[in-house]
C-alpha cells in the first residue's frame, strides 16, 4: 500500500547527517554485562518505541519507525497499534478514530460516523468503514497538538503490519490489540488477523487490555517465540470480559499468569504521584509480578509532557527511577522518545556518584540550582554543590547601605515578593538599566532585603510549566561574604564565579563601586591567599574586566550580550586583552528558526584558536527550552554542544543533569559510540520539512565588532570606611561626565510585572 521509496531515500540521507558517526553495534540488551539488573530475567530492560519515534514524527509512520532505528538501541522493539479495515487488513495506526492522526476528515469530509465503543457513544472516522484501497489517499499527520506539525507536508501513507515488517525490518515487533471487542461487534476478527499475520511476520509481543482476546490466542503461541502481555488501563476502568476494574485485576496476578507472560501498566501504577505532581512511595507491583514470573512493562513515557517535580524536568532521571532504584527494575519501557531510555539503559544505569568523569566539561551554575530552588538562595547553592557543580555563581548586587549580595538581577521584583511588600512604593524607572519600572536593590538596605520572600523563577510559565512549587519560596538570600564562606567549606567545589553588571550606573548615579566591593570581599574571605578555589569574575562590560586585569589570580570572563554569528579577528584580539574566557548564548553556536536548528557557526573554534575557552548559557531541563533537534532531552542538547561544538563549559539551572552527563559510560568509545550518544547534526531536521511547511527565513545574527566590546574606563568612586569587616561600601564623589550604556533588554511595565508576580504565587 505504501509507496515511500523516494521518502525513504530522503530520510536515510537526512538521518545519516542527523545523527553523525557510526551506528555502534552496542545493544542495551547485553552491552553492560557487569551491571546487576533487577529485571525478571536479569537482562537489561527493553526499549519499546510506541509508534516509532512518535515524539517527533507522526505516530506509526515510516519516518517515525526509521528514526527509531537510527537513534535507539539495536534491540529496540517497534510498537504497532493494530486497527482493522473493512476488508480485514491490519494497519498500524495509533487510535481507533482515524481523524486523530491523519487527514481523513479532509479526504472523506461527510463520512463521519457514530459508534458505541465500550458502551460509550463515539463520533469520528473509523477504519471499519474503509477498505485498504480507500485509505491509500489518507496521509498521516502529527496527532499531538503540542508537537511540531512541520513534517505533516510529507505524503506519509498508512502502513499495514506486513508493510511495516517488510520495509522497516524491526529488530523486534510488538502488536497492540486495543479494541478486539469493538471489531467483533462489526464482524471483524482480530484473532484471525493476528494468527494469519504471525505466519509471515515474526511477532515478539502481543498485548491487549481485553482478557477474552488474550485467552483466545494463548494456546496458539509459544512464549519462547511470542509473549502475550495483559495491558492495564486506568484503575477504575472496567475490563469487558471479567466486568472487573483493572484495579481489582491487579490484585489477582495469579489469574493473569494463566494467559499472559507479562503485564503492561501505566507508570503511575509503579511510582504514583500526588495531586501536586510529587512522587509517592513506589508500589510493590513489580516485585509482586516478578514473584508470579510475569514481566513488567511501564507505559506513558514521553519527554515532552510534565513529569513529577522530583525529576526536575529531566526525562533521563525518570527512566532511571524505573530501572535503577536499588529495589527493582521494570523489564521494559514504552516510550514516544526511544533514544532517551536507550541511553538510560546503556550509558547511565548503575553509574554511582563516584563514577569517573569522561568529559572535560566545566559545569557552572546559573543562580545556583535555580531550576529547583529560588535563585541565589542558600538552598539553591547547596543543591548545586550536592549535584556536582564545578562553579557556583553569584551575580553581585548592592544594597542601599553598600552590602554586596547575590541576586539574579538588580530588579528585586524578578526574584522576590518586593512588588507585594511594603516596599512597593519604591518602584522607579531607570532606563540606563532596563525598560519599564522596577524596585532596585540599591533602594533597600540589606536588612530590608532580608525581609523579602524569595520566589523561584518560572521562565516557561506561559507554557504552564512551573518549577518545584513546594519550595517556590524556600531559602534565604546571601551576602557575598557568606557565599564565599559557603564555597570554602564545600570540599568538592573547584571554584566560584562572580558576576558584575551595571557597574557604570552604580558608580555614576549611586556612588557605589561594586567592583571594589567584590575585590574587598574576596580579600576578606582569604581568596587572595589560597589556591584551592579558583575565582572567575564575569561581566558584559569590558571596563570592569580591564580594572580587574591586574588581579592575575582571577579568571576574567567576558559575557557576550545577545546572539552573534561570528566575531572579527581584531574583536577577538581585543577581548583577549581583558578576558581569559568567553560566555556565549546557545543560539550563537546553533542558530534557531521556529525552534529548529538551522546550522552551526564556527565562533567557538575561532575563540578557542585565540586561547579563549568558551562557556555557553543557559541550559534548562524544560523541553520547551530545547530545539526540536534535541528530542526534548536536555542530555542530548548538552552532548551536542560538547561533542559537536566543542564547548568548554555549560552554564545551567539544573547542574545535576550536566554533572551526570560527564560520567556516562558511553563517552570515549570512539567508533563504537552508540547512536544515542552521538551529537545531533545541526540543521538535520530541516531537509524533512516540505517547502510549504518551512518557517520563513530570519535575518542572521550580527557579527561582533570592536565597537561592541570597547568601553571607557570605569568612573572613579571615592571609598568610605566599611560598615562591617566583610562588606564593601562607597561614598559620594565628584563624577566626570560620561555617557552610560543603555540596556537593550525589553521588560514589562510595573503593572504587568505585578500581575505576573501575583500569577506565580
Amino acid at each position: 500500500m505504501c509507496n515511500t521509496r523516494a521518502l525513504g531515500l530522503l530520510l536515510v540521507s537526512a538521518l545519516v547527517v542527523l545523527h553523525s558517526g557510526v551506528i555502534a553495534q552496542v545493544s542495551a540488551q547485553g552491552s553492560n554485562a557487569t551491571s546487576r539488573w533487577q529485571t525478571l530475567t536479569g537482562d537489561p530492560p527493553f526499549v519499546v518505541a510506541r509508534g516509532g519515534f512518535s515524539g517527533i514524527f507522526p505516530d506509526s509512520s515510516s519516518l517515525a519507525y526509521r528514526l527509531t532505528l537510527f537513534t535507539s538501541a539495536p534491540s529496540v522493539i517497534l510498537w504497532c497499534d493494530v486497527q482493522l479495515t473493512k476488508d480485514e487488513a491490519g494497519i498500524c495506526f495509533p487510535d481507533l478514530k482515524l481523524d486523530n492522526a491523519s487527514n481523513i476528515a479532509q479526504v472523506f469530509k461527510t463520512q463521519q460516523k457514530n459508534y458505541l465503543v465500550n458502551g460509550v457513544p463515539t463520533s469520528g472516522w473509523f477504519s471499519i468503514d474503509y477498505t485498504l484501497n480507500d485509505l491509500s489517499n489518507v496521509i498521516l499527520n502529527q496527532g499531538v497538538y503540542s508537537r511540531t506539525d512541520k513534517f505533516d507536508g510529507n505524503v506519509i501513507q498508512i502502513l499495514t503490519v506486513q508493510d511495516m515488517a517488510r520495509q522497516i525490518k524491526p529488530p523486534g515487533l510488538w502488536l497492540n490489540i486495543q479494541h478486539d471487542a469493538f471489531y467483533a461487534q462489526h464482524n471483524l476478527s482480530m484473532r484471525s488477523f493476528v494468527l494469519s499475520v504471525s505466519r509471515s511476520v515474526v511477532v515478539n509481543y502481543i498485548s491487549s487490555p481485553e482478557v477474552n482476546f488474550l485467552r483466545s490466542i494463548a494456546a496458539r503461541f509459544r512464549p519462547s517465540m511470542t509473549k502475550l502481555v495483559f495491558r492495564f488501563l486506568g484503575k477504575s476502568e472496567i475490563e469487558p470480559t471479567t466486568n472487573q476494574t483493572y484495579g481489582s485485576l491487579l490484585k489477582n496476578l495469579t489469574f493473569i499468569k494463566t494467559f499472559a507472560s507479562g503485564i503492561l501498566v501505566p507508570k503511575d501504577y509503579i511510582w504514583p504521584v500526588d495531586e501536586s505532581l510529587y512522587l509517592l512511595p513506589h508500589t510493590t507491583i513489580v516485585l509482586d509480578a516478578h514473584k508470579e514470573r510475569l514481566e513488567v512493562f511501564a507505559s506513558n513515557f514521553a519527554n515532552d509532557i510534565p513529569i513529577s517535580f522530583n525529576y526536575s524536568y529531566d526525562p533521563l532521571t525518570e527512566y532511571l527511577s524505573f530501572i535503577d532504584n536499588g529495589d527493582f527494575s521494570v523489564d521494559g519501557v514504552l516510550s514516544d522518545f526511544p533514544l532517551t531510555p536507550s541511553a538510560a539503559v546503556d550509558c547511565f544505569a548503575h553509574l554511582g556518584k563516584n563514577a569517573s568523569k569522561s568529559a572535560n566539561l566545566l559545569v557552572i551554575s546559573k543562580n545556583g540550582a535555580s531550576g529547583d530552588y529560588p535563585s541565589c538562595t542558600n538552598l539553591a547553592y547547596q543543591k548545586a554543590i550536592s549535584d556536582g557543580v564545578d562553579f557556583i555563581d553569584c551575580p553581585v548586587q548592592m544594597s542601599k547601605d553598600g552590602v554586596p549580595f547575590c541576586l539574579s538581577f538588580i530588579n528585586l521584583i524578578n526574584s522576590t515578593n518586593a512588588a507585594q511588600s511594603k516596599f512597593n512604593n519604591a518602584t522607579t524607572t531607570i532606563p540606563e538599566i532596563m525598560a519599564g519600572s522596577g524596585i532596585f536593590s540599591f533602594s533597600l538596605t540589606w536588612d530590608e532585603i532580608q525581609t523579602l520572600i524569595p520566589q523561584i523563577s518560572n521562565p516557561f510559565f506561559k507554557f504552564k510549566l512551573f518549577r518545584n512549587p513546594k519550595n517556590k519560596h524556600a531559602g534565604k538570600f546571601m551576602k557575598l561574604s557568606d557565599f564565599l564562606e559557603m564555597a570554602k567549606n564545600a570540599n568538592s567545589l573547584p571554584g566560584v564565579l562572580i558576576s558584575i553588571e551595571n557597574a557604570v550606573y552604580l558608580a555614576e548615579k549611586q556612588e557605589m563601586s561594586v567592583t571594589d566591593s567584590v575585590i574587598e570581599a574576596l580579600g576578606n574571605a582569604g581568596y587572595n591567599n589560597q589556591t584551592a578555589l579558583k575565582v572567575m569574575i564575569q561581566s558584559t562590560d569590558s571596563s570592569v574586566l580591564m580594572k580587574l586585569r591586574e588581579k592575575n589570580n582571577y579568571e576574567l570572563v567576558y559575557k557576550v550580550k545577545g546572539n552573534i554569528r561570528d566575531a572579527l579577528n581584531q574583536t577577538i584580539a581585543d577581548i583577549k586583552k581583558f578576558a581569559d574566557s568567553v560566555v556565549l548564548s546557545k543560539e550563537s553556536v546553533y542558530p534557531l528558526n521556529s525552534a529548529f536548528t538551522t546550522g552551526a557557526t564556527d565562533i567557538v573554534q575561532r575563540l578557542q584558536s585565540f586561547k579563549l575557552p568558551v562557556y555557553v548559557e543557559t541550559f534548562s531541563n524544560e523541553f520547551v527550552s530545547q530545539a526540536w533537534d534535541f528530542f526534548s532531552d536536555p542530555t542530548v542538547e548538552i552532548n551536542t554542544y560538547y561533542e559537536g561544538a566543542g564547548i568548554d563549559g555549560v552554564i545551567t539551572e539544573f547542574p545535576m543533569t550536566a554533572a551526570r552527563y560527564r560520567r556516562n559510560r558511553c563517552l570515549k568509545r570512539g567508533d563504537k559510540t552508540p547512536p544515542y550518544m552521538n551529537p545531533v547534526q545541526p540543521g538535520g531536521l530541516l531537509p524533512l520539512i516540505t517547502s510549504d511547511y518551512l518557517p520563513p527565513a530570519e535575518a542572521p545574527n550580527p557579527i561582533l565588532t570592536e565597537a561592541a566590546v570597547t568601553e571607557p574606563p570605569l568612573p572613579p568612586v571615592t571609598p568610605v570606611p566599611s560598615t562591617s569587616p566583610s562588606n564593601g561600601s562607597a561614598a559620594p564623589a565628584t563624577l566626570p561626565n560620561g555617557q552610560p550604556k543603555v540596556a537593550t533588554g525589553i521588560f514589562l511595565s510595573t503593572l504587568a510585572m505585578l500581575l505576573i508576580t501575583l500569577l506565580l504565587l
Side-chain angles (χ1 to χ4, degrees):
M1 172 183 177
C2 184
N3 181 15
T4 58
R5 183 177 180 184
L7 181 61
L9 290 174
L10 172 62
L11 174 66
V12 170
S13 62
L15 290 182
V16 166
V17 177
L18 174 65
H19 235 68
S20 58
V22 178
I23 296 182
Q25 298 303 308
V26 181
S27 171
Q29 268 58 45
S31 65
N32 186 23
T34 60
S35 294
R36 296 180 180 178
W37 289 105
Q38 294 175 292
T39 55
L40 180 62
T41 62
D43 293 328
F46 283 94
V47 174
V48 186
R50 193 188 69 82
F53 213 128
S54 53
I56 295 293
F57 294 130
D59 194 310
S60 305
S61 67
S62 56
L63 285 171
Y65 286 130
R66 291 185 189 278
L67 180 59
T68 302
L69 300 187
F70 273 92
T71 60
S72 307
S75 56
V76 67
I77 299 169
L78 300 188
W79 167 285
C80 166
D81 278 296
V82 181
Q83 316 299 336
L84 291 180
T85 65
K86 187 176 182 178
D87 51 349
E88 300 182 281
I91 59 173
C92 295
F93 196 86
D95 194 85
L96 186 65
K97 294 171 56 180
L98 300 183
D99 48 305
N100 282 356
S102 79
N103 71 336
I104 194 169
Q106 286 74 50
V107 177
F108 301 103
K109 294 182 179 180
T110 62
Q111 296 186 17
Q112 187 175 17
K113 296 290 183 66
N114 295 287
Y115 292 110
L116 284 178
V117 180
N118 294 332
V120 178
T122 306
S123 178
W125 283 256
F126 296 82
S127 61
I128 61 172
D129 295 315
Y130 303 95
T131 66
L132 189 59
N133 186 61
D134 292 334
L135 297 179
S136 62
N137 294 321
V138 175
I139 298 171
L140 293 171
N141 56 34
Q142 180 55 259
V144 179
Y145 297 137
S146 60
R147 295 172 178 168
T148 181
D149 65 351
K150 296 298 183 184
F151 306 109
D152 287 357
N154 293 291
V155 181
I156 312 173
Q157 294 176 301
I158 296 172
L159 292 168
T160 66
V161 175
Q162 293 90 336
D163 286 337
M164 192 268 244
R166 184 178 62 256
Q167 296 176 18
I168 309 300
K169 296 179 174 57
L173 177 60
W174 186 310
L175 301 182
N176 180 59
I177 313 301
Q178 195 74 5
H179 296 285
D180 172 64
F182 172 80
Y183 289 108
Q185 291 169 7
H186 297 275
N187 300 316
L188 294 170
S189 175
M190 191 65 80
R191 179 180 184 274
S192 296
F193 170 78
V194 168
L195 294 178
S196 174
V197 78
S198 65
R199 298 187 187 103
S200 59
V201 173
V202 176
V203 180
N204 304 94
Y205 290 88
I206 300 173
S207 62
S208 177
E210 299 181 10
V211 169
N212 192 51
F213 173 74
L214 292 176
R215 276 177 158 179
S216 73
I217 64 171
R220 303 296 297 271
F221 290 96
R222 288 184 296 168
S224 59
M225 294 291 294
T226 303
K227 295 182 179 181
L228 304 186
V229 178
F230 181 62
R231 185 178 190 180
F232 282 81
L233 304 182
K235 290 183 178 180
S236 61
E237 292 186 56
I238 303 295
E239 193 283 318
T241 305
T242 62
N243 203 33
Q244 296 183 47
T245 65
Y246 288 96
S248 297
L249 288 172
L250 189 65
K251 301 173 184 177
N252 194 358
L253 294 177
T254 302
F255 168 65
I256 304 299
K257 179 63 178 175
T258 63
F259 58 84
S261 300
I263 58 175
L264 173 64
V265 299
K267 62 185 181 182
D268 60 3
Y269 270 47
I270 300 170
W271 279 104
V273 295
D274 61 20
E275 293 180 353
S276 301
L277 216 59
Y278 285 90
L279 287 179
L280 297 171
H282 67 72
T283 66
T284 60
I285 182 174
V286 177
L287 297 174
D288 295 342
H290 283 174
K291 288 178 183 177
E292 297 292 340
R293 306 304 297 170
L294 288 166
E295 289 185 308
V296 181
F297 295 86
S299 65
N300 297 355
F301 288 95
N303 293 4
D304 59 350
I305 59 174
I307 55 179
S308 170
F309 291 112
N310 299 77
Y311 301 130
S312 299
Y313 287 99
D314 187 341
L316 185 59
T317 301
E318 181 182 35
Y319 285 112
L320 290 173
S321 75
F322 283 82
I323 66 174
D324 180 22
N325 56 50
D327 294 328
F328 62 82
S329 171
V330 297
D331 300 281
V333 294
L334 178 62
S335 174
D336 292 11
F337 293 81
L339 177 149
T340 304
S342 295
V345 172
D346 190 24
C347 307
F348 292 95
H350 309 117
L351 272 182
K353 282 199 169 184
N354 295 324
S356 60
K357 297 176 184 177
S358 298
N360 186 22
L361 178 72
L362 280 184
V363 178
I364 304 167
S365 72
K366 180 72 172 182
N367 307 321
S370 54
D372 293 303
Y373 290 96
S375 298
C376 301
T377 59
N378 60 329
L379 295 181
Y381 291 128
Q382 290 168 11
K383 179 67 164 58
I385 294 169
S386 67
D387 285 345
V389 76
D390 293 315
F391 287 78
I392 54 174
D393 69 305
C394 172
V396 176
Q397 314 301 339
M398 299 295 292
S399 67
K400 185 177 182 178
D401 49 346
V403 176
F405 67 100
C406 304
L407 195 70
S408 59
F409 189 58
I410 196 170
N411 181 10
L412 296 170
I413 292 176
N414 286 33
S415 54
T416 77
N417 69 330
Q420 295 81 42
S421 72
K422 62 182 179 181
F423 306 112
N424 60 3
N425 59 353
T427 300
T428 57
T429 300
I430 305 177
E432 297 96 321
I433 295 178
M434 56 175 275
S437 303
I439 301 174
F440 297 95
S441 65
F442 48 78
S443 299
L444 275 66
T445 66
W446 172 241
D447 286 342
E448 291 171 332
I449 290 169
Q450 287 181 286
T451 67
L452 298 176
I453 299 173
Q455 291 187 160
I456 200 166
S457 65
N458 284 298
F460 308 108
F461 73 91
K462 69 178 181 180
F463 299 101
K464 297 184 179 179
L465 297 177
F466 299 94
R467 293 175 171 176
N468 198 4
K470 278 189 177 179
N471 291 292
K472 64 182 180 181
H473 298 308
K476 298 179 180 179
F477 295 122
M478 303 185 72
K479 293 187 294 185
L480 176 58
S481 57
D482 294 332
F483 167 86
L484 295 172
E485 188 64 26
M486 170 186 281
K488 288 180 69 175
N489 293 332
N491 296 329
S492 63
L493 198 65
V496 296
L497 182 146
I498 296 171
S499 177
I500 299 176
E501 299 297 339
N502 302 302
V504 173
Y505 173 84
L506 289 171
E508 291 185 338
K509 301 298 176 66
Q510 299 299 324
E511 300 179 341
M512 295 179 177
S513 176
V514 59
T515 307
D516 289 344
S517 295
V518 167
I519 295 172
E520 181 182 0
L522 286 167
N524 290 339
Y527 276 69
N528 295 336
N529 304 314
Q530 56 87 45
T531 58
L533 284 173
K534 184 176 181 178
V535 176
M536 294 196 289
I537 300 181
Q538 171 188 293
S539 183
T540 60
D541 193 332
S542 61
S543 62
V544 170
L545 302 181
M546 287 294 290
K547 180 174 181 178
L548 295 168
R549 197 59 177 154
E550 62 201 48
K551 303 288 183 179
N552 53 20
N553 54 328
Y554 303 149
E555 178 180 333
L556 303 181
V557 185
Y558 180 62
K559 178 179 176 179
V560 177
K561 289 191 291 187
N563 301 322
I564 62 171
R565 71 177 188 272
D566 201 354
L568 302 175
N569 282 341
Q570 187 56 51
T571 305
I572 301 176
D574 287 348
I575 293 173
K576 184 69 176 176
K577 295 175 183 177
F578 56 79
D580 305 300
S581 54
V582 176
V583 170
L584 296 175
S585 67
K586 291 195 299 184
E587 198 169 339
S588 295
V589 181
Y590 294 131
L592 297 179
N593 187 355
S594 299
F596 287 93
T597 62
T598 59
T601 68
D602 64 353
I603 185 63
V604 172
Q605 292 73 27
R606 285 177 42 70
L607 289 167
Q608 289 171 339
S609 71
F610 281 76
K611 309 299 182 184
L612 289 167
V614 178
Y615 314 127
V616 174
E617 68 170 16
T618 301
F619 287 84
S620 302
N621 282 1
E622 289 93 345
F623 52 89
V624 295
S625 72
Q626 298 137 23
W628 294 111
D629 307 67
F630 303 127
F631 308 130
S632 301
D633 186 334
T635 300
V636 172
E637 182 182 44
I638 293 169
N639 183 56
T640 300
Y641 275 86
Y642 175 67
E643 291 282 5
I647 67 172
D648 299 284
V650 295
I651 300 174
T652 174
E653 298 173 307
F654 295 87
M656 187 196 73
T657 299
R660 181 185 57 205
Y661 162 75
R662 299 183 299 186
R663 295 183 283 113
N664 91 75
R665 66 174 65 87
C666 292
L667 295 173
K668 295 186 177 180
R669 285 187 181 175
D671 60 0
K672 293 184 179 180
T673 300
Y676 34 84
M677 201 46 65
N678 274 319
V680 169
Q681 180 67 28
L685 286 177
L686 287 178
L688 295 175
I689 302 177
T690 56
S691 58
D692 51 331
Y693 277 83
L694 276 173
E698 295 183 352
N701 292 323
I703 295 175
L704 189 66
T705 63
E706 296 171 67
V709 303
T710 303
E711 309 284 352
L714 284 175
V717 176
T718 303
V720 296
S722 299
T723 57
S724 66
S726 59
N727 297 329
S729 59
T734 302
L735 300 177
N737 292 330
Q739 179 63 42
K741 293 169 62 180
V742 178
T744 60
I746 300 176
F747 290 83
L748 301 174
S749 66
T750 304
L751 178 60
M753 287 188 291
L754 177 59
L755 290 174
I756 290 173
T757 307
L758 289 170
L759 179 64
L760 299 181
L761 288 178

